[in-house]
Amino acid sequence: MCQINVNQYLSNNENWVKEVLAKDAAYFDELKIGQHPKALLLGCSDSRVNPSKVLGTELGELFIHRNIANVVSHTDLNFLSVMQYAVEALGVRDIIVYGHYGCGGIKAAYENKANGLIDNWLANIKDVIRHYRKDLEAIADENEKLNRLVEYNVLEQIENIKQSSVYTEALAKRIKLNLHGWVFDLSTGLVRNLKEEVVV
């Protein structure tokens, strides 16, 4: 594994600032005024799936929350608080659940081995496995099976959002929230829109 001197990140930051200011001298003056994100994105913590880079967004465009395997847990006050702030304070109307193929959390839940503390978190994904057991058992190829589980997990997390108090309160106030299920493919770099491509 390649080691990096973490101080290199600070040097990279200085270079980035110079590049940004060379293109737009007022960039940071505008940025400090406040944020107006277009969407809330719930993604996986995996270091390979940086949504801002993959989706080509600028600072301030996405309000992002990340956790292991992009799970919406009804006991996760962290995510629910993020969602409430995004919807009620920032006026966000689009929520993206952003999974990725090759997800270690999905694989660990599927393999069902003892992993310690994380097993409590993975129980959310084991519920998805139980719900789609017959469909998953019908897939012979293990890699394809895990990819399908990634897709089912994204779609189930959308359903979990619909059960949250933030979502139901938004509906009661006649606020329409658009929910999107996307999966990043590490082998191609492309993002798939599951709600258009996958029928469950």
Side-chain angles (χ1 to χ4, degrees), residues 42-43 67-73 76 79 121 124-125 153 157:
L42 169 62
N67 62 42
I68 301 298
N70 43 271
V71 166
V72 176
S73 170
D76 181 7
F79 172 70
W121 187 256
N124 295 289
I125 302 164
N153 183 58
Q157 302 318 314

Side-chain angles (χ1 to χ4, degrees), residues 29-114:
D29 293 329
E30 295 168 10
L31 195 64
K32 69 183 179 184
I33 293 171
Q35 61 174 325
H36 304 285
K38 297 178 175 75
L40 165 63
L41 184 143
L42 169 62
C44 181
S45 299
D46 192 301
S47 62
R48 301 167 296 171
V49 298
N50 183 325
S52 295
K53 181 168 273 196
V54 169
L55 300 174
T57 60
E58 289 292 330
L59 297 180
E61 283 188 55
L62 289 175
F63 200 61
I64 299 175
H65 180 87
R66 295 171 74 176
N67 62 42
I68 301 298
N70 43 271
V71 166
V72 176
S73 170
H74 296 118
T75 59
D76 181 7
L77 296 181
N78 189 334
F79 172 70
L80 295 174
S81 298
V82 166
M83 182 177 164
Q84 181 177 16
Y85 186 75
V87 172
E88 295 180 7
L90 299 176
V92 166
R93 297 297 177 258
D94 287 277
I95 301 174
I96 302 162
V97 178
Y98 173 79
H100 68 98
Y101 298 126
C103 180
I106 294 290
K107 187 174 186 215
Y110 176 74
E111 291 176 343
N112 201 26
K113 297 175 184 173

